[in-house]
Amino acid sequence: MRIKFELVLLIAWLGCLGCAGYLVAPVLFAHLPKMTAGDLAGKLFHYVSYIGLAATVGLLLSGCLNERCGFIKSARGRWLLFAGALTLINEFLITPVIVALKTNTHHWLPERFGDSFAAWHGVSQTVYLLTFICLLALAWSWAQWLGKR
């Protein structure tokens, strides 16, 4: 039962991330004015981040209950922690900078690292892609683990 729960969480997170970033967002920008598409995509990515954070917590709890400390030391645990950390960084560190630059409000990071919207958007896209790659690696690692059981 736990394995099914874990797979549902992982597939939901991976599917949401892939669909939002690589299917829905490009369609929004292809068919809507740039600002409208950006606002909708931002809201969508916000929801996807929270889905990812909930999945991270659920997978961590399930893995730790199932395998104790061995889960965190496993490849699955490391990929999960890395993907969760990247999601946290994008949602709570990079996204507020992008919002501040769009709304012309104060944020401490652009003062130190530059205030180019395009650069910060590129950083966010890179972190998003790295999260997606981590989730693919996590799915592969999980499949390997299931094959050995």
Side-chain angles (χ1 to χ4, degrees):
M1 179 70 171
R2 267 188 226 162
I3 292 173
K4 290 180 183 177
F5 172 72
E6 292 166 349
L7 289 175
V8 167
L9 285 178
L10 178 57
I11 291 167
W13 186 10
L14 185 59
C16 286
L17 202 73
C19 283
Y22 303 110
L23 181 66
V24 176
V27 169
L28 289 175
F29 280 96
H31 296 285
L32 294 173
K34 197 175 191 176
M35 292 301 287
T36 304
D39 288 342
L40 287 173
K43 288 176 183 168
L44 179 64
F45 293 139
H46 177 71
Y47 294 130
V48 169
S49 290
Y50 279 96
I51 290 168
L53 294 174
T56 300
V57 170
L59 289 167
L60 275 173
L61 287 174
S62 182
C64 289
L65 289 173
N66 212 10
E67 302 171 46
R68 308 236 189 282
C69 293
F71 176 75
I72 299 296
K73 296 175 184 174
S74 71
R76 291 176 301 121
R78 288 191 303 267
W79 284 118
L80 176 61
L81 289 175
F82 196 51
L86 288 171
T87 301
L88 281 170
I89 289 167
N90 220 7
E91 179 64 22
F92 296 110
L93 192 65
I94 299 169
T95 298
V97 171
I98 292 172
V99 170
L101 292 172
K102 280 177 70 173
T103 59
N104 203 22
T105 56
H106 174 71
H107 194 281
W108 63 276
L109 276 174
E111 292 175 357
R112 293 182 176 214
F113 299 104
D115 61 355
S116 167
F117 177 83
W120 282 100
H121 190 268
V123 169
S124 180
Q125 286 178 315
T126 302
V127 171
Y128 194 90
L129 177 61
L130 289 173
T131 305
F132 190 72
I133 291 169
C134 283
L135 288 178
L136 289 173
L138 176 59
W140 179 81
S141 178
W142 222 291
Q144 297 295 315
W145 177 74
L146 286 174
K148 292 177 184 175
R149 291 189 82 202

